[in-house]
């Protein structure tokens, strides 16, 4: 059974769904005004791993991932034009809806390239504005919200559990905010906007009982999660920056409306960094999956790179590490293809059973992916286990890893290539590296790329 670290309790806990055998999972999705960066994708991968680990264990998972196409997007740089200019330069002056559509598609393509399983639903915030208004109305009715000039705020003092998730309880927040200029419209400085009045230049706006406006970012996720998954959500995922205020506020809103706990397990991934700083759209230090492709790197090399670190540790993104992951991926695939090529009849293989047990134990232990990969590497090097058994294990592991490890199985080398590879291995053994290089070039003209690893020379067909 999968156990994960629950941000709410700060403990490692098994995922026990409210309805046995069926997990309802909500994953905070992308803001679609530009390409997702690989940091965002690391967080989305976390959701995919939780889901795959549960599914391999026989649990049915209904995953919903929202698309943030209003509010959050428009209240940042968007309205002021900076990003808009950047974006429209590329998109030939599209409307906000068209921009959102364009980047939603791009996100879905990136997700597919990374082998993230498709969610059951991708609700778009712009389709749920009536549900958001309904929640705001109920919060008003119950005394959890108040209105000031068309702006609605959540009154944090009305929710006793505020701060439980992040540790930012009101007494602590008060201490931290002592020197800040208080917003005169708010009753408490930690109160947050549920609905905002639209200014004159505001492109995206909706009529509401409180005048034209647009939703706050947090109410979007409360509305979409309650509408698509109901009042009991087993797992909710996001990046560490979502803990506060986004998820803290989501809890306050949702629980004030339904009157009980909604989310059981909160799972947050640590950030992807570049040069020890958070990779961020606003910091401009980000890399998209497209840029990876332009540099000749494959999306699944990024997936492997992320798997090499556990989700709970920050990870520095470097091109060198990515290149290393690409080499490892090539090696694994050609090994799997070799096992398939020499596999006898797959029969009972006691040799591989121990590896399988250890692999899944690592996965279930709070997604310890580095340990799981180490088990695979050990199996790779264990010549006492028959190829058929190694193949079967690698394929089973790949249901979780999602690395297309069998990508080269059944792929044939073009005529003559096998002989050249053998010749090159002999040249290398004789330390005639000039000859080996010439042979590499000849193989390249046949569309075959060779890589030398400790386990021998591997090959792949050029994409
Ligand atoms: P956004 O598109 O900005 O709304 O972010 C989408 C998701 O990516 C959120 O769940 C964030 O927590 C997550 N995220 C943002 N930056 C990073 C990062 N550098 N590393 C990992 N996750 C991130
Ligand atoms: Zn969210």
């Amino acid at each position: 059974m999968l156990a994960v670290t629950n941000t709410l309790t700060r403990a490692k806990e098994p995922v026990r769904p409210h309805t046995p055998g069926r997990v309802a999972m909500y994953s905070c999705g992308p803001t679609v005004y530009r390409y997702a960066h690989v940091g965002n994708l690391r967080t989305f991968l976390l959701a995919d791993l939780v889901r795959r680990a549960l599914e391999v264990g026989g649990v049915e998972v209904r995953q919903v991932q929202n698309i943030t196409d209003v509010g959050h997007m428009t209240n940042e740089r968007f309205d002021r034009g900076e990003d808009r200019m950047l974006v429209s330069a590329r998109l030939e002056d599209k409307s906000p809806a068209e921009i959102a559509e364009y980047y939603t598609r791009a996100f879905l393509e990136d997700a597919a390239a990374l082998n993230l399983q498709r969610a059951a639903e991708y609700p778009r915030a712009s389709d749920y504005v009536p549900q958001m208004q309904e929640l705001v109305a109920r919060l008003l009715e119950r005394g959890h919200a108040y209105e000031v000039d068309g702006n609605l705020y959540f009154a944090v003092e009305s929710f006793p559990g505020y701060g439980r998730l992040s540790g930012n309880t009101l007494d602590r927040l008060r201490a931290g905010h002592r020197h800040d200029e208080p917003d005169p419209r708010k009753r408490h400085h930690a109160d947050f906007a549920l609905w905002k009045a639209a200014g004159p230049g505001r492109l995206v706006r909706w009529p509401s009982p409180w005048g034209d406006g647009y939703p706050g970012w947090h109410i979007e996720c409360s509305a979409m999660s309650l509408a698509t998954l109901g009042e009991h959500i087993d797992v909710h995922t996001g990046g560490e920056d979502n803990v506060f205020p986004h998820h803290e506020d989501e809890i306050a809103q949702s629980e004030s409306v339904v009157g009980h706990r909604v989310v059981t397990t909160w799972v947050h991934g640590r950030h992807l960094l570049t040069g020890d700083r958070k990779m961020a759209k606003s910091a401009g230090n980000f890399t998209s999956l497209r840029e990876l492709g332009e540099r000749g790197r494959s999306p699944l090399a990024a997936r492997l790179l992320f798997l090499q670190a556990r989700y709970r540790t920050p990870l520095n993104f470097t091109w060198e590490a990515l290149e290393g992951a690409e080499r490892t991926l090539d090696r694994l695939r050609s090994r799997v293809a070799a096992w398939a090529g020499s596999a006898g009849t797959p029969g009972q293989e006691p040799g591989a059973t121990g590896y399988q047990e250890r692999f899944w134990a690592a996965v279930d232990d709070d997604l310890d992916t580095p340990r799981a990969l180490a088990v695979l590497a050990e199996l790779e090097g264990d010549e006492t286990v028959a190829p058929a058994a190694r193949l079967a294990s690698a394929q089973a592991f790949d249901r979780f890893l999602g690395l297309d490890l069998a990508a080269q199985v059944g792929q044939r080398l073009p005529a003559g290539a096998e002989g050249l590879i053998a010749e090159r291995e002999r040249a290398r053994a004789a330390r005639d590296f000039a000859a080996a290089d010439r042979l590499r070039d000849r193989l390249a003209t046949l569309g075959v790329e060779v890589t030398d690893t400790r386990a021998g020379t591997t090959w792949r067909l050029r994409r």
Side-chain angles (χ1 to χ4, degrees):
M1 188 193 279
L2 172 68
V4 288
T5 299
N6 186 352
T7 310
L8 188 63
T9 59
R10 289 142 185 91
K12 195 157 69 182
E13 292 171 359
V15 175
R16 282 211 185 82
H18 184 74
T19 307
R22 297 174 65 176
V23 162
M25 172 158 128
Y26 187 87
S27 308
C28 274
T31 308
V32 284
Y33 65 97
R34 60 169 84 163
Y35 293 116
H37 57 65
V38 287
N40 302 136
L41 294 169
R42 184 187 189 202
T43 290
F44 304 149
L45 172 66
L46 164 62
D48 185 64
L49 295 179
V50 170
R51 174 168 163 195
R52 284 173 183 259
L54 289 164
E55 286 179 346
V56 166
V59 175
E60 195 186 306
V61 180
R62 177 171 162 73
Q63 183 190 7
V64 171
Q65 182 166 38
N66 69 289
I67 305 281
T68 305
D69 63 352
V70 282
H72 185 46
M73 165 172 84
T74 39
N75 74 19
E76 288 191 341
R77 289 153 300 275
F78 207 65
D79 261 358
R80 278 180 275 146
E82 293 141 49
D83 264 349
R84 186 81 209 286
M85 271 160 42
L86 244 178
V87 167
S88 18
R90 201 160 43 218
L91 292 177
E92 294 158 26
D93 208 19
K94 298 260 163 78
S95 70
E98 287 167 317
I99 290 169
E101 184 54 35
Y102 178 89
Y103 288 108
T104 301
R105 270 173 204 233
F107 156 69
L108 292 173
E109 282 165 20
D110 286 350
L114 263 191
N115 271 349
L116 307 183
Q117 300 192 96
R118 274 190 76 89
E121 270 188 67
Y122 292 102
R124 287 158 169 81
S126 57
D127 290 333
Y128 284 79
V129 176
Q131 287 89 336
M132 296 170 202
Q133 293 186 355
E134 171 70 26
L135 288 185
V136 176
R138 281 164 74 182
L139 288 169
L140 259 178
E141 236 168 68
R142 293 172 178 228
H144 290 289
Y146 56 92
E147 183 194 346
V148 185
D149 305 332
N151 298 288
L152 281 105
Y153 296 99
F154 185 93
V156 288
E157 284 165 311
S158 73
F159 183 67
Y162 197 82
R164 218 169 40 206
L165 182 75
S166 62
N168 289 334
T169 47
L170 295 184
D171 49 332
R172 288 200 192 176
L173 279 172
R174 196 168 288 125
H177 272 72
R178 244 196 322 254
H179 306 294
D180 285 357
E181 197 65 46
D183 181 339
R185 291 179 299 193
K186 294 185 188 177
R187 292 183 192 162
H188 186 282
H189 65 79
D191 290 353
F192 56 89
L194 297 164
W195 184 263
K196 300 174 199 175
R202 181 84 201 177
L203 291 170
V204 186
R205 49 161 77 204
W206 285 266
S208 84
W210 320 287
D212 275 14
Y214 58 101
W217 174 34
H218 319 311
I219 199 75
E220 296 183 5
C221 279
S222 279
M224 287 184 276
S225 62
L226 291 169
T228 55
L229 291 168
E231 294 184 5
H232 295 282
I233 297 170
D234 302 297
V235 181
H236 194 314
T237 65
E240 60 177 310
D241 56 335
N242 288 154
V243 175
F244 187 85
H246 186 47
H247 290 158
E248 193 69 67
D249 292 352
E250 182 182 323
I251 292 175
Q253 298 163 155
S254 299
E255 298 191 3
S256 295
V257 167
V258 305
H260 59 77
R261 188 160 294 185
V262 176
V263 174
T264 311
T265 306
W266 289 90
V267 192
H268 292 101
R270 299 296 298 270
H271 281 147
L272 186 70
L273 315 173
T274 30
D276 293 318
R277 285 182 58 218
K278 176 192 173 189
M279 186 180 281
K281 291 180 185 172
S282 51
N285 62 349
F286 59 89
T287 308
S288 69
L289 214 54
R290 271 138 236 268
E291 289 169 71
L292 250 66
E294 284 157 19
R295 292 232 205 163
R297 289 279 148 304
S298 63
L300 293 184
R303 185 172 171 118
L304 177 57
L305 179 69
F306 296 160
L307 287 166
Q308 287 169 340
R310 206 186 201 165
Y311 77 94
R312 282 196 291 114
T313 50
L315 172 66
N316 246 311
F317 177 83
T318 66
W319 291 100
E320 293 70 40
L322 185 64
E323 198 184 320
E326 186 95 58
R327 274 199 304 272
T328 304
L329 185 60
D330 281 345
R331 187 198 73 215
L332 284 168
R333 285 179 176 168
S334 67
R335 297 285 285 156
V336 167
W339 297 333
S342 64
T345 25
Q348 281 303 0
E349 255 315 322
T353 318
Y355 289 101
Q356 302 233 13
E357 273 166 18
R358 284 164 53 215
F359 181 91
W360 295 115
V363 169
D364 284 347
D365 180 15
D366 205 6
L367 301 172
D368 194 344
T369 49
R371 203 167 100 212
L373 288 172
V375 174
L376 173 59
E378 235 185 277
L379 174 67
E380 190 191 342
D382 187 346
E383 303 294 334
T384 68
V385 180
R390 284 196 270 176
L391 173 67
S393 298
Q395 284 177 317
F397 298 168
D398 207 29
R399 284 183 61 200
F400 169 77
L401 298 172
L403 293 170
D404 289 355
L405 292 179
Q408 289 181 21
V409 171
Q411 266 191 13
R412 290 181 173 237
L413 282 168
E418 204 153 343
L420 292 176
I421 291 174
E423 204 180 314
R424 186 169 171 277
E425 296 226 307
R426 284 193 296 276
R428 275 172 46 80
R431 307 190 66 76
D432 183 353
F433 296 113
D437 283 347
R438 277 195 304 277
L439 287 157
R440 175 198 293 279
D441 292 343
R442 279 177 66 192
L443 282 159
T445 61
L446 294 176
V448 179
E449 227 171 84
V450 285
T451 311
D452 303 309
T453 73
R454 262 182 299 157
T457 297
T458 66
W459 58 267
R460 71 166 174 189
L461 299 181
R462 278 258 175 77
R463 279 182 289 270

